[in-house]
Amino acid sequence: MKVLLLKDPKDKDSGPDPYIKELGSYNLEATLIPVLSFEFTSLDSLFEKLSHPECYGGLVFTSPRALEAIKICLKEKSKKEAWSKSLKQMWNIKPTYVVGKATASLVEEIGLVPQGEMAGNAEKLAEYICSREKPNSSALLFPCGALKREVLPTVLREKGIPLESLTVYQTAQHPDLQGSLSSYFSQQGIPASVVFFSPSGVKFCLQHIQKLSGDLINQVKFAAIGPSTAEALRGAGVAVSCTAGSPTAQDLAAAIHTALQPQPC
């Protein structure tokens, strides 16, 4: 059975994509189609803030893209040296809160120690932060995307925990998306399952997939990587067959495998 994954492929340098690998272990043939493109912004402002760890109580990352913004900054020799010589150590005295394993591994790549990665989503991470931070302490620095959800900032604000958000990337539809979807459906047919990885993916893909599937749309099992994506699908009138227990390849593959089992009469 075929599974369509609406996400970017993993960086080729880091081996096979874990989602394709895990689904393959259940004899499911997965294909990736990139949905989003990203434009990084405010990088000078980002590094300026990173240069003053004494002004902040810690860092918060809910997206791998925010770490990519930092990695772009660190490509500049002088900034890389400043980070290696002192800034990294100064930030490591403070907590770095993250959602998910992908974000945590990127935090480790820049030399920081992630906390809270098992939270799985922004709501649970907010609870974790609230259990560890005191009200009215130094602000946590939160590099994020323009389309960030307001759940985490709202919960922290209600608890009196200061958060300083900085938009470091904009999200847009991938320029090849419509062509890639049309090509997939014409060559591979209707997949058994389509997996969405973000509310933005629902916004940019769902109508195309419904049109390409036609009368066979009811045969497709729709899956979501997490609760916010599942909520976006339901908001668009789609029945969600399964949601990953946590945003990992293992949990998603297991959930899809279960959802695709024949149902008893």
Side-chain angles (χ1 to χ4, degrees):
M1 285 192 279
K2 292 181 168 61
V3 177
L4 176 57
L5 302 170
L6 299 170
K7 70 180 282 290
D8 279 346
K10 191 178 178 189
D11 186 356
K12 287 181 182 143
D13 297 337
S14 50
D17 187 274
Y19 290 91
I20 288 181
K21 187 177 170 188
E22 287 296 328
L23 287 161
S25 71
Y26 291 103
N27 294 318
L28 296 169
E29 184 187 335
T31 302
L32 297 166
I33 290 183
V35 173
L36 308 174
S37 63
F38 300 95
E39 180 186 344
F40 293 96
T41 62
S42 309
L43 295 183
D44 287 339
S45 179
L46 171 61
F47 197 77
E48 174 63 24
K49 291 178 187 298
L50 289 172
S51 299
H52 293 283
E54 71 279 1
C55 297
Y56 298 97
L59 290 160
V60 179
F61 297 108
T62 58
S63 155
R65 305 294 166 192
L67 273 305
E68 285 180 32
I70 293 177
K71 288 177 93 170
I72 291 168
C73 290
L74 297 181
K75 283 180 179 174
E76 201 174 305
K77 189 179 176 186
S78 62
K79 290 175 178 172
K80 187 174 184 179
E81 284 178 358
W83 180 259
S84 298
K85 282 182 181 174
S86 61
L87 294 177
K88 179 172 67 176
Q89 289 88 329
M90 291 167 77
W91 279 111
N92 260 329
I93 298 167
K94 305 164 187 286
T96 299
Y97 298 110
V98 303
V99 166
K101 288 186 178 178
T103 308
S105 66
L106 288 171
V107 163
E108 288 169 349
E109 281 180 28
I110 63 167
L112 300 180
V113 180
Q115 293 184 27
E117 66 194 81
M118 300 315 290
N121 59 51
E123 290 91 332
K124 288 179 183 172
L125 182 65
E127 290 172 16
Y128 179 81
I129 293 171
C130 290
S131 73
R132 300 174 72 86
E133 294 291 326
K134 294 184 177 129
N136 304 316
S137 51
S138 298
L140 299 169
L141 179 59
F142 180 32
C144 56
L147 298 178
K148 77 175 188 303
R149 294 172 70 229
E150 290 301 319
V151 173
L152 186 140
T154 301
V155 171
L156 296 192
R157 188 166 57 246
E158 287 170 354
K159 298 288 186 181
I161 296 167
L163 185 75
E164 185 178 319
S165 301
L166 176 67
T167 299
V168 295
Y169 67 92
Q170 307 276 350
T171 305
Q173 179 176 310
H174 193 284
D176 300 330
L177 176 62
Q178 289 192 40
S180 297
L181 286 171
S182 297
S183 175
Y184 177 88
F185 276 79
S186 64
Q187 292 173 21
Q188 309 258 12
I190 312 292
S193 178
V194 177
V195 188
F196 289 84
F197 285 78
S198 69
S200 301
V202 176
K203 175 184 168 187
F204 295 138
C205 293
L206 185 59
Q207 286 187 329
H208 298 309
I209 287 167
Q210 288 170 325
K211 188 176 176 184
L212 290 163
S213 299
D215 294 339
L216 299 176
I217 189 72
N218 292 331
Q219 294 180 16
V220 179
K221 304 280 188 185
F222 287 97
I225 192 63
S228 60
T229 305
E231 189 181 307
L233 281 165
R234 291 190 192 100
V238 172
V240 179
S241 296
C242 64
T243 304
S246 66
T248 65
Q250 291 90 340
D251 279 17
L252 180 70
I256 291 170
H257 171 68
T258 301
L260 289 176
Q261 295 306 302
Q263 298 301 309
C265 295

